């Protein structure tokens, strides 16, 4: 049973427009949510995170929104650039128990930004 | 230059052979992790270690083994018991205190001959 879900396998947007990537989770025992960007045949790179006590975190063109009541978070990229084309993984951090600190990953969304 | 290194970049395994993937970090991080990525799948946790000489099974540990003799190193052995080893393997690390972010190495692609 997936605890972190990214229901859109792919997303295509025009350069300069907004990209919105979505993520849902089922477990309330997460204290941080993270977004990673991954190019083919490379390791994921950390993009941005948000604490479960916040509802928004912004870093340059990237903003993450957290809706705890809906157990939903989203990553907004504005404006989108062709170099943003990659697979984006949503991850949630477990905050208690023996696996404290472990991350649970979604399956990823492949973003294509068209010039 | 601080970071995580994984070697080799590509590895070929023959049937019945054990192979070992290397992961080294000079970030002074306490915790280290091994993940497996398959096409269209997220990252699935194989093993993790929070301190030297201690490690725990993740969600898909069967057919794999690890050791953590030094803080900097966390090698993963893919044994002959792993029947479907072809995948992209990723190593990550993080500091235990004040760090929610895991940092990843460049990965090793394992292929079966």
């Amino acid at each position: 049973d997936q605890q972190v879900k990214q229901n859109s396998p792919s997303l295509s947007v025009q350069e300069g427009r907004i990209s919105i990537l979505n993520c849902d989770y089922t477990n309330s025992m997460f204290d941080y949510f993270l977004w990673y960007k991954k190019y083919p045949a490379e390791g994921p790179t950390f993009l941005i995170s948000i604490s479960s006590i916040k509802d928004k975190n912004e870093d340059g063109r990237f903003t993450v929104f957290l809706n705890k009541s809906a157990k939903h978070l989203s990553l907004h990229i504005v404006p989108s650039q062709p170099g943003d084309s990659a697979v984006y993984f949503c991850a949630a951090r477990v905050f208690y128990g023996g696996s404290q600190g472990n991350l649970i990953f979604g399956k990823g969304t492949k973003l294509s930004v068209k010039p | 230059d601080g970071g995580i290194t994984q070697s080799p970049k590509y590895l070929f395994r023959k049937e019945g052979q054990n192979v070992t993937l290397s992961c080294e970090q000079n970030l002074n991080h306490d915790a280290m992790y091994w993940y497996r990525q398959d096409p269209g799948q997220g990252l699935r946790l194989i093993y993790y270690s929070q301190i030297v000489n201690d490690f725990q099974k993740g969600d898909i540990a069967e057919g794999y083994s690890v050791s953590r003799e030094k803080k900097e190193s966390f090698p993963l052995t893919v044994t002959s018991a792993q029947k479907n080893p072809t995948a992209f393997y990723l190593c990550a690390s993080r500091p235990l205190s004040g760090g929610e972010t895991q940092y990843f190495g460049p990965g090793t692609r394992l292929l079966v001959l």
Side-chain angles (χ1 to χ4, degrees):
Chain A
D1 187 31
Q2 270 189 281
Q3 297 184 62
V4 178
K5 297 179 184 179
Q6 293 178 257
N7 291 318
S8 298
S10 63
L11 174 68
S12 182
V13 300
Q14 207 65 35
E15 181 179 5
R17 308 294 287 266
I18 184 171
S19 295
I20 301 177
L21 295 97
N22 294 304
C23 180
D24 297 296
Y25 60 96
T26 59
N27 191 329
S28 297
M29 300 294 118
F30 297 132
D31 64 345
Y32 272 92
F33 300 91
L34 301 86
W35 286 94
Y36 284 85
K37 175 181 179 179
K38 186 181 180 302
Y39 294 116
E42 294 184 11
T45 54
F46 169 71
L47 259 183
I48 190 169
S49 64
I50 186 167
S51 164
S52 60
I53 64 172
K54 307 269 189 179
D55 53 22
K56 178 182 175 181
N57 188 27
E58 194 170 351
D59 184 1
R61 296 187 297 114
F62 303 93
T63 303
V64 57
F65 296 93
L66 176 61
N67 182 334
K68 287 185 287 295
S69 61
K71 291 190 171 66
H72 175 85
L73 63 153
S74 60
L75 173 69
H76 292 211
I77 306 174
V78 182
S80 301
Q81 300 172 353
D84 296 330
S85 298
V87 176
Y88 289 78
F89 288 101
C90 170
R93 187 175 88 146
V94 177
F95 84 91
Y96 81 110
S99 56
Q100 182 181 11
N102 286 4
L103 296 179
I104 311 292
F105 284 85
K107 292 189 175 184
T109 296
K110 184 176 182 180
L111 174 65
S112 299
V113 180
K114 311 249 182 253
Chain B
D1 230 300
I4 303 174
T5 57
Q6 290 186 242
S7 61
K9 190 166 178 65
Y10 296 95
L11 187 57
F12 297 91
R13 193 191 92 164
K14 295 179 182 177
E15 292 287 339
Q17 187 182 41
N18 292 356
V19 292
T20 298
L21 285 63
S22 168
C23 177
E24 304 277 330
Q25 54 98 2
N26 60 5
L27 301 166
N28 199 33
H29 286 174
D30 305 283
M32 296 187 74
Y33 304 82
W34 273 105
Y35 293 90
R36 169 180 172 143
Q37 186 194 12
D38 295 281
Q41 300 292 319
L43 279 62
R44 293 185 291 166
L45 183 64
I46 305 172
Y47 267 99
Y48 64 101
S49 167
Q50 297 193 352
I51 55 172
V52 175
N53 293 323
D54 186 55
F55 48 83
Q56 307 296 328
K57 291 182 179 180
D59 301 316
I60 55 165
E62 187 174 348
Y64 300 97
S65 66
V66 293
S67 63
R68 186 86 187 275
E69 297 176 3
K70 299 186 299 182
K71 188 176 184 179
E72 304 80 22
S73 178
F74 191 40
L76 173 75
T77 296
V78 184
T79 75
S80 56
Q82 172 49 245
K83 296 308 177 191
N84 185 22
T86 297
F88 191 54
Y89 290 87
L90 289 156
C91 179
S93 70
R94 74 171 179 97
L96 273 186
S97 58
E100 77 275 8
T101 307
Q102 291 183 17
Y103 297 90
F104 285 83
T108 293
R109 169 80 55 190
L110 177 61
L111 298 162
V112 177
L113 293 177

